Amino acid sequence: MNIEKTNIPEDLELASLGKRIKAHLVDFIVMLPFLSIMIYAMFKSQSLGLKYYFMLTIFYSIIFIGYRIFFAFKYGGTLGKLAVKIKIIGKNQDSLSIRDSFLREIPHIFIYIIFIINVYLMFSYYNDNAETLIAYDFSSYFKELEKQELFPNLSTYYYILSILFILFNKMKKTPHDFLANSIVILNAKKSNVA
């Protein structure tokens, strides 16, 4: 059964774009300690090599994706969504299954795989050219490494695409909502949703 506007009980209200953006900001703050370690490793990579940055990239990706899958399955949304009182529900207006929580993260998993590939290419280039690169100032060093990226940073494009999806479909569904057949609702009203 697909979620259609006519199938949603009157006591459920779709979450607005503003609420969803606020939820992302809270999630950014939640993940900031992990991100700060990555940024520190990136700045230290000139003296330490990119090995630690590469390992932290993989670690951060697993933590971020795992956080989103676990909280969507267990609580109906990440800490950000819970803080702004919105919730993800499935096709029968119930909680997401672990499968649907995973399906919902496929675009993010793809984006992080691309990011890890890019960091690996930088790492390989660094290993081959460490003696030359160590003499560069950080800005030149990082620009040289960025030239090794095979793919652009897709996360910004995906967030813009998600915003456009929310704005231009009546169910306010993002591409990942379509994959999991989920919607995001306000959680402030009492409803029959568990």
Side-chain angles (χ1 to χ4, degrees):
M1 171 173 141
N2 288 334
I3 299 175
E4 297 297 333
K5 188 76 172 171
T6 56
N7 294 345
I8 297 178
E10 287 183 18
D11 60 346
L12 296 182
E13 186 178 341
L14 297 172
S16 68
L17 175 61
K19 285 265 192 187
R20 291 175 84 159
I21 288 173
K22 287 176 188 174
H24 276 288
L25 291 174
V26 172
D27 286 328
F28 175 77
I29 292 168
V30 167
M31 296 307 290
L32 197 56
F34 299 105
L35 191 58
S36 298
I37 293 168
M38 276 190 61
I39 291 168
Y40 175 77
M42 182 181 72
F43 281 108
K44 294 302 274 180
S45 68
Q46 195 169 0
S47 58
L48 297 174
L50 280 171
K51 180 169 88 174
Y52 298 107
Y53 181 60
F54 178 64
M55 290 185 316
L56 285 169
T57 300
I58 293 170
F59 177 72
Y60 176 79
S61 301
I62 291 168
I63 293 290
F64 184 72
I65 297 297
Y67 160 74
R68 291 175 57 97
I69 291 171
F70 175 77
F71 274 83
F73 167 66
K74 188 77 173 166
Y75 302 106
T78 59
L79 293 174
K81 284 183 175 54
L82 299 174
V84 299
K85 295 185 175 23
I86 60 179
K87 183 177 184 175
I88 307 164
I89 61 171
K91 60 185 172 187
N92 296 319
Q93 288 108 33
D94 57 1
S95 298
L96 290 183
S97 67
I98 191 74
R99 177 188 170 274
D100 290 340
S101 297
F102 179 81
L103 282 174
R104 204 167 186 279
E105 291 309 310
I106 286 177
H108 299 107
I109 291 168
F110 176 74
I111 288 167
Y112 275 96
I113 288 171
I114 296 297
F115 183 62
I116 289 168
I117 290 169
N118 281 339
V119 173
Y120 177 77
L121 293 171
M122 289 180 188
F123 174 60
S124 296
Y125 178 78
Y126 177 86
N127 282 342
D128 295 340
N129 300 282
E131 289 180 17
T132 307
L133 290 170
I134 204 77
Y136 287 17
D137 64 68
F138 183 77
S139 176
S140 302
Y141 161 79
F142 203 71
K143 283 179 187 172
E144 193 62 34
L145 290 176
E146 279 185 321
K147 290 178 189 176
Q148 307 311 310
E149 291 182 344
L150 189 58
F151 306 101
N153 181 350
L154 298 176
S155 61
T156 303
Y157 300 116
Y158 183 72
Y159 284 116
I160 291 169
L161 179 67
S162 294
I163 288 169
L164 292 173
F165 266 69
I166 291 169
L167 291 174
F168 294 108
N169 75 71
K170 64 183 178 181
M171 294 303 296
K172 299 181 182 180
K173 292 175 100 172
T174 60
H176 50 275
D177 286 319
F178 280 104
L179 279 173
N181 199 15
S182 62
I183 57 172
V184 181
I185 60 166
L186 290 179
N187 199 25
K189 297 181 180 182
K190 291 287 182 193
S191 71
N192 61 355
V193 177

